[in-house]
Amino acid sequence: MATKVLVPRLGEGVDEVTITKWLKKEGDSVKELEPLLEVNTDKVDTEIPAPASGVILKIEMQEGQPAKVGQLLALIGAAGESASVSSAPGPSAPAASASAAKAELTPTAAPVTRASSADLGFISPVVAKIATERGIDLSQVPGTGLNGRITKNDVLNFVQTPPAKEAYHATRTVQHATPVVTPAQGDTLIKHTLIRKQIADHMVMSKSVSPHVLTVMEADMSKVSKHRAANKPIFERDGVNLTFTAYFMMAIVAGLKAFPTVNASWTDDGLLVHKAINIGMATSLGEDGLIVPVIKGADALSLLGMARTVNDLATRARSRKLQPDEVKGGTFTLTNHGISGSLFAMPIINQPQCGILGIGAMQKRAVVVDDAIAIRPMVYMSFVFDHRILDGASADWFLAKVKETLENWA
């Protein structure tokens, strides 16, 4: 009997993946645990191995399609065997995955299949049912789920808050008003990668959700630079590259501990202040975009531990070896746009966080110190915050604490 290949649970909170590449095609032979396909979740690519040896009888999900945990991907069996779903017992799986697979294969899921091929992306049976019963046009509802997916709460909020409903309509109108550009002779069309689409969707969603406000301060990095120069050889003996990023992370921790409301998320019921301090670190992937691995429990790390973690996550991010859990759960984000020479910028908040701190290029500049002109290594720090959560004063208090920590490093 044929064996089912189901979407495994790749980490806590990972309920849906996108099929990025099949490594085998129908009719190909495959060995147990041999890589069968690649899936993507939150910009992390993961290989799914074959659960059994045999021949690929049927591929149920195509590249580019979203698939939920437990959903049927393919069937593996003996050559010439019938590719019948009903005859495939499949490997043992957690109850949640099994029930999810059952839900996807029942006739009630038919509307979901039709919706998943539209611009809306994947629509669950619950969302589809609510929309049908209440006559809701889902194209007018902004999604806050994975990759912009519309959730049950998104639909219910749309129904219950008329003012927000009008805002949603206006937002969708603006988003769909992008001019159509037809390539002319000599133009080159570069197809969007999955990561680029995910970045675009998340950035547009963030700007439509949070009122972004920017405040900028500059910090004198003299003491940090001296400390780094003195300790870099010591850290290298432990196999750790002491970068300035580690110092910025430590300063952010100090700011978040002093002003916990910055380490929070907006909800309709109130401000959700997070106990854990998990700092995302925006990491460039070159032309492929960027990814934000998360330093979990950043407040428990020493400078050595922070530098080691920064090194590890940055290296594995660029080599595409992060795990799905390692890009989730962030409560604040740091982006070092100064690497490319930028002095200051206005980053976009990584939802559902309160803010993001951008660090510009460090430059030696003439500054006034004790009524005298001095040359100091200076950086601009651009803090973009959600004005629903913070006001100008509270945002500046946080940024001033980050500045103080850097300038008084001992």
Side-chain angles (χ1 to χ4, degrees), residues 5 35 40 48 64 98 165 227 279 283 289 327 336 341 345 357 361 388 393 408:
V5 181
N40 180 281
I48 294 181
K165 180 177 178 179
H227 185 276
I279 306 177
T283 305
V327 296
N336 189 356
L357 182 64
R388 298 175 302 174
N408 295 288

Side-chain angles (χ1 to χ4, degrees), residues 252-276:
I252 289 172
V253 168
L256 295 178
K257 291 175 71 173
F259 301 98
T261 53
V262 183
N263 194 53
S265 298
W266 176 272
T267 74
D268 291 338
D269 296 325
L271 190 61
L272 182 62
V273 180
H274 304 293
K275 180 179 180 181

Side-chain angles (χ1 to χ4, degrees), residues 56-77:
I56 309 298
L57 300 177
K58 188 175 182 181
I59 291 178
E60 296 286 345
M61 303 292 293
Q62 301 304 314
E63 293 179 0
Q65 285 188 292
K68 298 190 70 175
V69 170
Q71 192 166 352
L72 182 66
L73 294 172
L75 294 171
I76 297 176

Side-chain angles (χ1 to χ4, degrees), residues 5 19 53 114 150 189 192 197 208 212 232 241 257 263 291 304 382:
V5 181
I19 314 301
S53 298
R114 291 197 298 271
I150 299 172
L189 179 64
H192 298 307
K197 288 182 177 179
S208 67
H212 285 51
K232 201 170 188 298
N241 180 23
K257 291 175 71 173
N263 194 53
I291 195 168
L304 175 62
S382 306

Side-chain angles (χ1 to χ4, degrees), residues 210-405:
S210 296
H212 285 51
V213 179
L214 169 68
T215 184
V216 179
M217 294 184 184
E218 60 178 341
D220 182 345
M221 297 292 288
S222 298
K223 292 187 177 180
V224 167
S225 296
K226 289 179 181 178
H227 185 276
R228 178 173 179 265
N231 289 274
K232 201 170 188 298
I234 300 173
F235 278 52
E236 286 176 349
R237 289 201 293 267
D238 289 329
V240 177
N241 180 23
L242 180 57
T243 64
F244 284 105
T245 299
Y247 291 93
F248 290 121
M249 286 290 184
M250 298 297 287
I252 289 172
V253 168
L256 295 178
K257 291 175 71 173
F259 301 98
T261 53
V262 183
N263 194 53
S265 298
W266 176 272
T267 74
D268 291 338
D269 296 325
L271 190 61
L272 182 62
V273 180
H274 304 293
K275 180 179 180 181
I277 295 180
N278 302 331
I279 306 177
M281 178 179 66
T283 305
S284 173
L285 300 178
E287 293 185 355
D288 291 336
L290 59 84
I291 195 168
V292 186
V294 177
I295 299 175
K296 305 286 180 66
D299 53 324
L301 297 176
S302 64
L303 181 62
L304 175 62
M306 182 67 77
R308 180 180 284 115
T309 303
V310 167
N311 291 175
D312 172 58
L313 289 176
T315 299
R316 289 193 293 113
R318 296 186 181 105
S319 60
R320 310 296 201 276
K321 293 182 179 179
L322 291 174
Q323 298 300 312
D325 282 348
E326 292 178 312
V327 296
K328 287 184 170 294
T331 59
F332 191 87
T333 297
L334 169 72
T335 178
N336 189 356
H337 53 82
I339 291 177
S340 302
S342 169
L343 294 180
F344 58 84
M346 185 175 179
I348 297 178
I349 298 170
N350 188 7
Q351 295 297 327
Q353 297 169 21
C354 170
I356 181 170
L357 182 64
I359 303 298
M362 187 184 304
Q363 289 187 329
K364 288 186 177 181
R365 293 197 287 271
V367 296
V368 177
V369 179
D370 296 329
D371 293 331
I373 301 297
I375 305 298
R376 294 286 188 268
M378 307 294 292
V379 294
Y380 289 110
M381 302 184 298
S382 306
F383 178 38
V384 178
F385 59 94
D386 187 336
H387 209 347
R388 298 175 302 174
I389 298 175
L390 300 177
D391 297 317
S394 52
D396 286 344
W397 295 337
F398 162 77
L399 190 55
K401 182 63 177 180
V402 175
K403 171 184 168 74
E404 176 192 333
T405 303

